[in-house]
Amino acid sequence: MSAPYAEPMDHREDRARPPSPPTLRDVAERAGVSKSLASLALRGDPGVGEARRASVRQAAEDLGYRPNRVARALAETRSGTVGVLLNDLRNPWFVDLLAGLTAALDGGGLAPVLADSFTARRIGRSAVDQLLAQRVDAIVVVGTTEDDAPLREAATSGCPVLLAGTYEPGDLDADVVVNDDRHGAVLATRHLLDLGHRRIVHLTGPGEVGRLRAEGFRATAEAAGLPAWTVAGGMSEESGYAAARRLLEDKARPSAVFAYNDLAAIGALSAAHDLGLEVPRDVSVVGYDNTHIAAIRPVSLTSVDNGTFAIGVQSGRFAIERISGRIGGARVHRVAASLEVRRTTGPALL
Amino acid sequence: MSAPYAEPMDHREDRARPPSPPTLRDVAERAGVSKSLASLALRGDPGVGEARRASVRQAAEDLGYRPNRVARALAETRSGTVGVLLNDLRNPWFVDLLAGLTAALDGGGLAPVLADSFTARRIGRSAVDQLLAQRVDAIVVVGTTEDDAPLREAATSGCPVLLAGTYEPGDLDADVVVNDDRHGAVLATRHLLDLGHRRIVHLTGPGEVGRLRAEGFRATAEAAGLPAWTVAGGMSEESGYAAARRLLEDKARPSAVFAYNDLAAIGALSAAHDLGLEVPRDVSVVGYDNTHIAAIRPVSLTSVDNGTFAIGVQSGRFAIERISGRIGGARVHRVAASLEVRRTTGPALL
DNA sequence: CTGTTAGCGCGTTCAG
DNA sequence: CTGAACGCGCTAACAG
């Protein structure tokens, strides 16, 4: 057994292929200090001499040391992660919001962990359970979710819960960050009224958010002497398509459709197209969320901008506060809504 | 030094609000058994009596016990997670692939952990580093990435790397799962030729995948006696827009554009629209990936279907094999490509 | 400033 | 079948 070379190094590296990653102890030994000092030095503790620090840093560098986050999480009993509960990654609104959320979390040394309940549902255990098992330090619920019970459980078990773009579940003192849904709907409805539309239908969506948007629509329509015509339209492209199709097939079809969100609005566009109706000549369509899909030129959907990025950022800030301090709970932060007019809305033909 | 021993009861539960989640020991105590038995019982070890098992299960239920995954990961020196490296969540292809991947991973008791290098880049540390620090058991690279060096490091440090929809980096014995890019491009090009197009341009994209698609295009075009007209078009909507805009502004503009992917194709659609060109009358456009955005009716993009879901599934399977067994490495699995014809392609006017 | 000692919560021996 | 003991890699509380 002639060793290829008599390497006088520690026996971690002379092993065959699977070299277990270097640990803090390896670094400490190589630098000739104790583990705790190595830890302090690497984490920038002010009470460590420059010389020591440099040699520890060097040793870490040489060994290609990476602090093991799972060990750290166990020791700190906090993982430095926050769970983000989405319910469908295909909804671009979630993705847009995530950008703002991640940016804010990063400022607090936190990293997002994604979980879409759509995926988790197949698996049996709820997405919330998965997150809790991972010991996330907080959970941000993005948009409407069905995962009610587990969430309630999480909140009472001490895990801070933040609501972004939704009010549900309402009975767990969570901070909520939303846009002014009622006013957003007012803007959309006024826009259609200004274009001369008199037969406007609103495709309603779920939750308090859906209720507020419907309320804004109803108030504005009725103030203009119109009936508050609403039909359930869901929050997906498919459901929006189905609802719009039924409406547009009818003799007495609406001249304008204001949908709960962009996805449903796109479904409505599809329905119009399939029925040979031209947008906006035969029917105008307005969405909500102003996602990047709405901005795609072949779509060019007029949509209410709800400050998606800002909502993400504020949710992240709230999360940081709840995790570090003990501030917060049941706050409501409302972001302004505005209307982005594109090419799916036009004057009513009468 | 008055010892805090004075507490007569288990000082876990009599504390105020923030009750630390129950541990395995709590469960064991409540069920009147040892920790090890509790562990075995909960994990379904066959050598545990039914009565015992039931009482342990019951105790766990009562306490709302959730096994702490970070503790488990630390003890097992494997986390049960695989890192998924995306580079832009806004690209719907990634999201579609993720569905297949998650499904497959779930079969092996693994869960995906998402990391988009787009987000990570701002943060400084590369996304790969983040994943490695989390001790993911494998990394699946989805699509082209710039994170070359860290990936190479990861691979040589013993973390299995899988490539889904890309060949890069090529020198780390990773399994790769792709579609037949060359043939996909042939299908797209033939389709345009069959429609009578003679001035076809291909917007090329990055990497070996981009090269293969370009090669398929070139071969097919030249076989038809056409020049192999190619222009760099990138992989984003913006870059596709810019490239297409320059081309379409020109007097001698192409009658058909075959883009590297759907996003770039959508950019091309936008450019055409902005220039007052009608699709497909004035110019035909073909994408690649057949994402759900392509299927949106107002878009209705003709696109090459590359079996996104299947690629995800196969990547997941490979990952499981690499993690559990020691099989694998440098395998190539190729999925068939097909063409989905929609409404952005039509006959050439001549 | 440093080093030593305990755990964090769980899996896994290994004796009883 | 049981229960005690150890270790995963790290942080935190103490002593020196």
Side-chain angles (χ1 to χ4, degrees), chain A residues 129-216:
Chain A
D129 282 337
Q130 309 254 28
L131 293 175
L132 255 32
Q134 276 182 65
R135 295 300 189 269
V136 293
D137 299 331
I139 292 181
V140 177
V141 181
V142 180
T144 310
T145 317
E146 301 102 347
D147 246 350
D148 245 56
L151 261 183
R152 208 178 312 280
E153 216 180 302
T156 61
S157 88
C159 177
V161 173
L162 293 296
L163 270 30
T166 178
Y167 293 85
E168 288 88 21
D171 50 345
L172 31 79
D173 77 339
D175 296 312
V176 0
V177 183
V178 287
N179 85 116
D180 190 340
D181 291 290
R182 191 182 186 287
H183 187 241
V186 169
L187 292 177
T189 313
R190 276 210 200 118
H191 172 59
L192 293 172
L193 288 171
D194 288 348
L195 287 169
H197 291 278
R198 306 289 295 167
R199 301 190 49 78
I200 309 174
V201 66
H202 174 49
L203 298 183
T204 62
E208 174 69 4
V209 165
R211 204 189 61 69
L212 286 171
R213 292 181 188 174
E215 183 183 304

XYZ file of all heavy atoms in Angstrom, chain A residues 129-216:
652
model
N -47.378 23.545 6.724
C -46.678 22.555 7.535
C -45.231 22.411 7.095
O -44.320 22.327 7.919
C -47.390 21.201 7.436
C -48.624 21.155 8.304
O -48.683 21.947 9.261
O -49.519 20.338 8.032
N -45.044 22.362 5.809
C -43.686 22.246 5.294
C -42.826 23.391 5.797
O -41.686 23.199 6.229
C -43.702 22.307 3.760
C -44.673 21.345 3.131
C -43.965 20.166 2.509
O -42.882 19.793 2.950
N -44.582 19.595 1.495
N -43.372 24.574 5.733
C -42.616 25.741 6.154
C -42.317 25.697 7.647
O -41.211 26.004 8.091
C -43.390 27.019 5.813
C -43.551 27.290 4.324
C -44.424 28.513 4.087
C -42.191 27.485 3.678
N -43.309 25.311 8.411
C -43.116 25.248 9.855
C -42.072 24.197 10.222
O -41.279 24.393 11.150
C -44.452 24.927 10.528
C -45.143 26.094 11.229
C -44.867 27.402 10.541
C -46.627 25.837 11.348
N -42.090 23.096 9.522
C -41.103 22.049 9.792
C -39.700 22.564 9.506
O -38.738 22.155 10.128
C -41.394 20.817 8.935
N -39.610 23.472 8.567
C -38.322 24.080 8.246
C -37.959 25.172 9.230
O -36.921 25.776 9.123
C -38.374 24.713 6.859
C -38.133 23.788 5.715
C -38.176 24.571 4.417
O -37.362 25.426 4.153
N -39.169 24.283 3.609
N -38.846 25.468 10.125
C -38.626 26.494 11.150
C -38.370 27.873 10.547
O -37.432 28.572 10.972
C -37.470 26.102 12.070
C -37.724 24.857 12.913
C -38.923 25.047 13.809
N -39.084 23.966 14.782
C -39.801 22.873 14.574
N -40.439 22.689 13.428
N -39.913 21.957 15.518
N -39.192 28.233 9.587
C -39.086 29.594 9.065
C -39.419 30.565 10.191
O -40.185 30.241 11.097
C -40.069 29.820 7.894
C -39.666 28.988 6.700
C -41.487 29.525 8.315
N -38.825 31.743 10.145
C -39.014 32.692 11.231
C -40.303 33.493 11.092
O -40.729 34.166 12.026
C -37.827 33.658 11.291
C -36.528 32.919 11.538
O -36.573 31.850 12.176
O -35.472 33.397 11.105
N -40.904 33.427 9.929
C -42.172 34.112 9.698
C -42.760 33.577 8.398
O -42.065 32.941 7.615
C -41.962 35.617 9.598
N -44.035 33.842 8.221
C -44.681 33.411 6.980
C -45.368 34.600 6.330
O -46.111 35.322 6.996
C -45.717 32.299 7.252
C -45.014 31.015 7.702
C -46.550 32.025 6.010
C -45.965 29.866 7.977
N -45.093 34.800 5.066
C -45.783 35.842 4.322
C -46.770 35.173 3.375
O -46.371 34.383 2.515
C -44.798 36.704 3.510
C -45.555 37.739 2.696
C -43.791 37.385 4.430
N -48.021 35.474 3.556
C -49.052 34.912 2.696
C -49.283 35.872 1.543
O -49.657 37.022 1.765
C -50.367 34.721 3.465
C -51.423 34.118 2.560
C -50.142 33.867 4.696
N -49.037 35.414 0.345
C -49.178 36.288 -0.809
C -50.461 35.965 -1.553
O -50.576 34.910 -2.181
C -47.975 36.159 -1.753
C -48.138 37.081 -2.937
C -46.685 36.468 -1.016
N -51.416 36.864 -1.451
C -52.674 36.657 -2.148
C -53.556 35.644 -1.423
O -53.189 35.081 -0.386
N -54.706 35.432 -1.992
C -55.694 34.547 -1.385
C -55.195 33.110 -1.303
O -54.594 32.606 -2.216
C -56.977 34.577 -2.225
O -57.318 35.942 -2.446
C -58.107 33.894 -1.504
N -55.455 32.470 -0.170
C -55.042 31.084 0.032
C -56.191 30.281 0.609
O -57.087 30.837 1.241
C -53.876 30.997 1.034
O -52.955 32.018 0.738
C -53.213 29.645 0.963
N -56.123 28.972 0.428
C -57.137 28.123 1.052
C -56.619 27.532 2.349
O -57.352 26.930 3.103
C -57.525 26.963 0.124
C -58.078 27.398 -1.211
C -56.996 27.259 -2.272
O -55.825 27.076 -1.894
O -57.341 27.333 -3.459
N -55.339 27.720 2.576
C -54.682 27.045 3.691
C -55.056 27.622 5.041
O -54.202 27.766 5.914
C -53.177 27.161 3.511
C -52.561 25.801 3.274
O -53.288 24.814 3.438
O -51.374 25.744 2.931
N -56.290 27.869 5.247
C -56.728 28.591 6.425
C -56.296 28.004 7.762
O -55.591 28.634 8.533
C -58.254 28.686 6.405
C -58.690 30.114 6.271
O -58.264 30.748 5.292
O -59.424 30.575 7.155
N -56.732 26.803 8.025
C -56.522 26.201 9.338
C -55.044 26.128 9.734
O -54.684 26.585 10.823
C -57.150 24.813 9.372
N -54.201 25.578 8.888
C -52.785 25.491 9.267
C -52.201 26.861 9.579
O -51.381 27.001 10.486
C -52.129 24.913 8.013
C -53.217 24.276 7.241
C -54.468 24.995 7.580
N -52.659 27.868 8.858
C -52.142 29.211 9.077
C -52.515 29.719 10.457
O -51.703 30.309 11.167
C -52.724 30.163 8.043
C -51.830 30.475 6.860
C -52.506 31.478 5.949
C -50.493 31.000 7.343
N -53.744 29.494 10.800
C -54.216 29.921 12.106
C -53.372 29.253 13.186
O -52.915 29.887 14.133
C -55.688 29.509 12.258
C -56.507 30.378 13.165
C -57.945 29.877 13.174
N -58.459 29.643 11.815
C -58.894 30.606 11.024
N -58.898 31.847 11.449
N -59.353 30.318 9.827
N -53.149 27.978 12.980
C -52.342 27.204 13.903
C -50.942 27.815 14.025
O -50.416 28.001 15.118
C -52.221 25.782 13.360
C -52.219 24.692 14.390
C -52.105 23.346 13.692
O -52.971 23.015 12.849
O -51.118 22.654 13.960
N -50.367 28.119 12.889
C -49.020 28.683 12.873
C -48.975 29.970 13.677
O -48.096 30.176 14.511
C -48.585 28.935 11.436
N -49.951 30.820 13.429
C -49.962 32.121 14.088
C -50.057 31.966 15.601
O -49.316 32.596 16.351
C -51.120 32.951 13.573
N -50.950 31.107 16.057
C -51.103 30.950 17.505
C -49.907 30.225 18.102
O -49.621 30.377 19.282
C -52.390 30.183 17.839
O -52.303 28.890 17.243
C -53.598 30.902 17.290
N -49.211 29.467 17.298
C -48.042 28.756 17.816
C -46.838 29.675 17.876
O -45.734 29.236 18.178
C -47.741 27.535 16.961
O -46.898 27.891 15.905
N -47.034 30.939 17.544
C -45.964 31.896 17.742
C -45.215 32.338 16.506
O -44.342 33.186 16.579
N -45.548 31.783 15.361
C -44.863 32.180 14.135
C -45.564 33.403 13.543
O -46.745 33.346 13.211
C -44.878 31.032 13.133
S -44.120 31.447 11.557
N -44.850 34.529 13.432
C -45.473 35.732 12.884
C -46.012 35.482 11.484
O -45.354 34.827 10.671
C -44.322 36.740 12.831
C -43.290 36.228 13.749
C -43.431 34.741 13.756
N -47.202 35.977 11.222
C -47.795 35.819 9.894
C -48.059 37.193 9.300
O -48.568 38.085 9.982
C -49.111 35.027 9.969
C -49.800 35.012 8.620
C -48.850 33.605 10.446
N -47.656 37.367 8.066
C -47.883 38.615 7.354
C -48.791 38.340 6.172
O -48.640 37.325 5.510
C -46.577 39.174 6.784
C -45.465 39.680 7.690
C -45.949 40.873 8.476
C -44.931 38.594 8.595
N -49.713 39.253 5.890
C -50.614 39.083 4.761
C -50.297 40.123 3.698
O -50.353 41.324 3.961
C -52.058 39.251 5.239
C -52.817 38.009 5.711
C -51.899 36.968 6.303
C -53.869 38.391 6.734
N -49.984 39.671 2.514
C -49.672 40.595 1.433
C -50.715 40.467 0.339
O -50.857 39.414 -0.277
C -48.279 40.307 0.870
N -51.471 41.527 0.147
C -52.484 41.501 -0.902
C -53.692 40.662 -0.552
O -54.391 40.171 -1.439
N -53.940 40.480 0.707
C -55.117 39.733 1.127
C -55.450 40.099 2.572
O -54.583 40.581 3.299
C -54.906 38.211 1.017
O -56.070 37.543 1.479
C -53.725 37.761 1.872
N -56.682 39.864 2.967
C -57.081 40.142 4.347
C -57.320 38.848 5.121
O -57.582 38.883 6.309
C -58.362 40.978 4.382
C -58.219 42.382 3.846
C -58.337 42.647 2.492
C -57.993 43.445 4.709
C -58.230 43.934 1.989
C -57.879 44.738 4.229
C -57.999 44.975 2.865
O -57.895 46.254 2.396
N -57.278 37.731 4.435
C -57.617 36.466 5.086
C -56.388 35.641 5.412
O -55.437 35.652 4.640
C -58.550 35.643 4.187
C -59.933 36.180 4.084
C -60.044 37.185 2.955
O -59.187 37.135 2.051
O -60.950 38.016 2.988
N -56.433 34.862 6.469
C -57.505 34.834 7.452
C -57.462 36.069 8.355
O -56.384 36.533 8.681
C -57.206 33.577 8.268
C -56.116 32.860 7.537
C -55.402 33.870 6.739
N -58.607 36.545 8.746
C -58.672 37.833 9.414
C -58.488 37.807 10.923
O -58.203 38.818 11.540
N -58.604 36.647 11.516
C -58.649 36.616 12.970
C -57.331 36.226 13.635
O -57.297 35.802 14.772
C -59.741 35.646 13.414
C -59.594 34.312 12.716
O -58.849 34.260 11.724
O -60.205 33.334 13.166
N -56.244 36.348 12.920
C -54.948 36.095 13.569
C -54.142 37.372 13.454
O -53.825 37.829 12.388
C -54.216 34.935 12.870
C -54.450 34.730 11.382
C -53.643 35.708 10.584
C -54.096 33.316 11.009
N -53.752 37.944 14.596
C -53.257 39.315 14.526
C -52.034 39.472 13.622
O -50.918 39.661 14.066
C -53.017 39.882 15.909
C -51.739 39.339 16.510
O -51.286 38.265 16.051
O -51.207 39.986 17.418
N -52.284 39.381 12.360
C -51.230 39.513 11.359
C -51.233 40.936 10.807
O -52.268 41.588 10.750
C -51.469 38.524 10.226
N -50.056 41.393 10.404
C -50.009 42.663 9.694
C -50.487 42.424 8.276
O -50.192 41.391 7.688
C -48.575 43.188 9.653
C -48.065 43.509 11.050
O -48.782 44.183 11.783
O -46.953 43.061 11.384
N -51.210 43.374 7.718
C -51.620 43.191 6.327
C -51.171 44.366 5.475
O -51.228 45.517 5.893
C -53.138 42.899 6.183
C -53.833 42.869 7.510
C -53.810 43.859 5.238
N -50.689 44.034 4.300
C -50.244 45.035 3.343
C -51.039 44.836 2.062
O -50.997 43.768 1.467
C -48.740 44.895 3.031
C -48.288 45.988 2.096
C -47.931 44.897 4.310
N -51.780 45.857 1.690
C -52.646 45.727 0.520
C -52.642 47.037 -0.258
O -52.056 48.018 0.177
C -54.103 45.441 0.943
C -54.256 44.023 1.449
C -54.542 46.433 1.991
N -53.293 47.038 -1.374
C -53.500 48.315 -2.051
C -54.927 48.745 -1.765
O -55.706 48.034 -1.123
C -53.220 48.195 -3.551
C -54.409 47.692 -4.315
O -54.976 48.371 -5.155
N -54.812 46.467 -4.020
N -55.261 49.926 -2.210
C -56.609 50.409 -1.951
C -57.552 49.805 -2.987
O -57.858 50.406 -4.007
C -56.626 51.935 -2.029
C -57.946 52.495 -1.518
O -58.939 51.740 -1.483
O -57.975 53.677 -1.157
N -58.004 48.601 -2.699
C -58.781 47.845 -3.682
C -60.068 48.543 -4.084
O -60.462 48.525 -5.247
C -59.102 46.455 -3.117
C -57.862 45.599 -2.995
O -57.323 45.202 -4.029
O -57.426 45.348 -1.854
N -60.695 49.139 -3.111
C -61.956 49.808 -3.419
C -61.707 50.949 -4.416
O -62.360 51.044 -5.449
C -62.585 50.359 -2.133
C -64.000 50.838 -2.326
C -64.569 51.416 -1.040
N -65.976 51.745 -1.201
C -66.413 52.774 -1.916
N -65.557 53.543 -2.548
N -67.711 53.009 -2.030
N -60.715 51.750 -4.112
C -60.439 52.889 -4.986
C -59.942 52.444 -6.354
O -60.252 53.059 -7.373
C -59.428 53.841 -4.336
C -59.238 55.103 -5.103
N -58.008 55.459 -5.637
C -60.102 56.070 -5.473
C -58.136 56.610 -6.289
N -59.411 57.004 -6.198
N -59.162 51.377 -6.378
C -58.695 50.848 -7.651
C -59.875 50.493 -8.549
O -59.881 50.786 -9.748
N -60.865 49.874 -7.947
C -62.050 49.490 -8.708
C -62.816 50.727 -9.181
O -63.363 50.762 -10.288
C -62.951 48.604 -7.858
N -62.818 51.739 -8.341
C -63.487 52.982 -8.726
C -62.810 53.573 -9.968
O -63.479 53.980 -10.933
C -63.451 54.003 -7.562
C -63.902 55.373 -8.043
C -64.302 53.514 -6.401
N -61.485 53.563 -9.939
C -60.736 54.099 -11.082
C -61.070 53.356 -12.364
O -61.306 53.959 -13.419
C -59.229 53.989 -10.816
C -58.660 54.872 -9.700
C -57.177 54.601 -9.522
C -58.909 56.344 -10.028
N -61.079 52.047 -12.274
C -61.367 51.232 -13.448
C -62.776 51.507 -13.964
O -62.994 51.688 -15.174
C -61.206 49.753 -13.098
N -63.714 51.561 -13.064
C -65.107 51.748 -13.456
C -65.327 53.135 -14.061
O -66.010 53.292 -15.085
C -66.036 51.551 -12.238
O -65.663 50.363 -11.544
C -67.484 51.437 -12.686
N -64.755 54.128 -13.440
C -64.873 55.488 -13.965
C -64.324 55.571 -15.372
O -64.897 56.214 -16.256
C -64.076 56.457 -13.089
C -64.832 56.939 -11.879
C -64.381 58.347 -11.472
N -64.756 58.597 -10.086
C -63.889 58.829 -9.119
N -62.590 58.870 -9.389
N -64.309 59.034 -7.898
N -63.188 54.921 -15.563
C -62.562 54.912 -16.879
C -63.545 54.391 -17.929
O -63.724 54.994 -18.995
C -61.307 54.038 -16.819
C -60.659 53.774 -18.140
N -60.196 54.778 -18.973
C -60.383 52.614 -18.791
C -59.668 54.249 -20.067
N -59.767 52.935 -19.981
N -64.214 53.310 -17.599
C -65.161 52.731 -18.551
C -66.367 53.644 -18.741
O -66.871 53.814 -19.862
C -65.604 51.344 -18.064
C -64.484 50.289 -18.069
C -64.944 49.002 -17.391
C -64.023 50.009 -19.500
N -66.819 54.244 -17.655
C -67.949 55.170 -17.759
C -67.569 56.356 -18.646
O -68.345 56.789 -19.509
C -68.344 55.676 -16.369
C -69.040 54.652 -15.459
C -69.185 55.208 -14.047
C -70.404 54.269 -16.036
N -66.373 56.850 -18.445
C -65.915 57.994 -19.227
C -65.865 57.666 -20.720
O -66.010 58.549 -21.563
C -64.512 58.430 -18.776
C -64.553 59.098 -17.403
O -65.672 59.409 -16.936
O -63.474 59.283 -16.804
N -65.641 56.392 -21.012
C -65.600 55.981 -22.416
C -67.007 55.780 -22.972
O -67.180 55.404 -24.130
C -64.797 54.690 -22.568
C -63.269 54.844 -22.403
C -62.603 53.464 -22.310
C -62.686 55.639 -23.564
N -67.994 55.986 -22.127
C -69.372 55.910 -22.597
C -70.054 54.571 -22.386
O -71.177 54.356 -22.851
N -69.379 53.667 -21.687
C -69.987 52.351 -21.491
C -71.149 52.416 -20.509
O -71.094 53.115 -19.505
C -68.933 51.354 -21.006
C -67.921 51.024 -22.049
N -68.143 50.091 -23.036
C -66.691 51.531 -22.297
C -67.088 50.024 -23.826
N -66.186 50.896 -23.409
N -72.196 51.671 -20.855
C -73.377 51.632 -19.985
C -73.683 50.197 -19.556
O -74.389 49.974 -18.603
C -74.618 52.195 -20.716
C -74.434 53.576 -21.307
C -74.364 54.648 -20.247
N -75.623 54.768 -19.504
C -75.748 55.457 -18.360
N -74.691 56.078 -17.857
N -76.910 55.529 -17.757
N -73.184 49.267 -20.305
C -73.399 47.850 -19.948
C -72.066 47.248 -19.499
O -71.371 46.603 -20.282
C -73.949 47.065 -21.138
C -75.285 47.611 -21.665
C -75.918 46.670 -22.664
N -75.950 45.291 -22.185
C -76.824 44.815 -21.303
N -77.742 45.622 -20.790
N -76.772 43.562 -20.917
N -71.754 47.524 -18.240
C -70.483 47.077 -17.685
C -70.703 45.940 -16.711
O -71.570 46.025 -15.835
C -69.788 48.228 -16.916
C -69.731 49.483 -17.806
C -68.410 47.814 -16.454
C -69.191 50.707 -17.091
N -69.940 44.884 -16.870
C -70.056 43.770 -15.923
C -68.736 43.624 -15.177
O -67.662 43.838 -15.735
C -70.419 42.451 -16.638
C -69.300 42.000 -17.553
C -70.731 41.357 -15.616
N -68.856 43.283 -13.923
C -67.662 43.041 -13.123
C -67.545 41.557 -12.810
O -68.470 40.955 -12.274
C -67.722 43.842 -11.820
C -66.597 43.539 -10.870
N -65.272 43.508 -11.251
C -66.599 43.254 -9.538
C -64.507 43.221 -10.210
N -65.280 43.054 -9.156
N -66.394 40.969 -13.167
C -66.132 39.571 -12.822
C -65.503 39.549 -11.436
O -64.366 39.959 -11.254
C -65.172 38.934 -13.826
C -65.658 38.865 -15.275
C -64.634 38.135 -16.134
C -67.009 38.170 -15.349
N -66.251 39.078 -10.475
C -65.796 39.147 -9.091
C -64.835 38.025 -8.737
O -64.837 36.959 -9.346
C -66.982 39.084 -8.119
O -67.634 37.822 -8.291
C -67.956 40.197 -8.398
N -64.013 38.301 -7.724
C -63.051 37.311 -7.246
C -63.237 37.046 -5.768
O -64.122 37.612 -5.134
N -62.386 36.198 -5.227
C -62.541 35.707 -3.858
C -62.091 36.692 -2.785
O -61.316 37.608 -3.048
C -61.645 34.472 -3.838
C -60.589 34.770 -4.853
C -61.257 35.593 -5.915
N -62.563 36.470 -1.604
C -62.035 37.148 -0.421
C -62.505 38.577 -0.223
O -63.293 39.127 -0.992
N -61.973 39.148 0.818
C -62.280 40.536 1.145
C -61.803 41.446 0.016
O -62.445 42.440 -0.309
C -61.599 40.902 2.466
C -61.711 42.355 2.871
C -63.127 42.744 3.261
O -64.010 41.872 3.285
O -63.348 43.941 3.528
N -60.673 41.092 -0.562
C -60.171 41.869 -1.684
C -61.205 41.894 -2.803
O -61.523 42.947 -3.359
C -58.837 41.277 -2.201
C -58.489 41.818 -3.575
C -57.724 41.574 -1.199
N -61.758 40.743 -3.094
C -62.784 40.659 -4.129
C -64.003 41.490 -3.739
O -64.609 42.161 -4.581
N -64.348 41.438 -2.473
C -65.504 42.192 -1.997
C -65.280 43.691 -2.157
O -66.148 44.431 -2.613
C -65.758 41.863 -0.526
C -67.198 42.084 -0.067
C -67.343 41.953 1.436
N -66.551 42.926 2.169
C -66.812 44.241 2.191
N -67.834 44.734 1.509
N -66.033 45.067 2.884
N -64.078 44.148 -1.800
C -63.774 45.576 -1.893
C -63.789 46.054 -3.342
O -64.298 47.129 -3.650
C -62.418 45.861 -1.266
C -62.383 45.806 0.261
C -60.965 45.877 0.778
C -63.232 46.939 0.835
N -63.221 45.239 -4.214
C -63.215 45.641 -5.622
C -64.648 45.700 -6.142
O -65.018 46.609 -6.878
C -62.354 44.670 -6.443
C -60.885 44.781 -6.079
C -59.956 43.876 -6.869
N -58.611 43.949 -6.265
C -57.562 43.206 -6.606
N -57.682 42.306 -7.584
N -56.393 43.342 -6.006
N -65.428 44.719 -5.749
C -66.823 44.703 -6.183
C -67.566 45.913 -5.620
O -68.388 46.537 -6.308
C -67.495 43.408 -5.734
N -67.248 46.256 -4.386
C -67.930 47.379 -3.758
C -67.604 48.693 -4.467
O -68.489 49.514 -4.732
C -67.507 47.469 -2.288
C -68.206 48.557 -1.520
C -67.678 48.626 -0.097
O -67.723 47.586 0.600
O -67.206 49.704 0.308
N -66.322 48.857 -4.799
C -65.928 50.064 -5.525
C -66.647 50.143 -6.863
O -67.113 51.212 -7.282
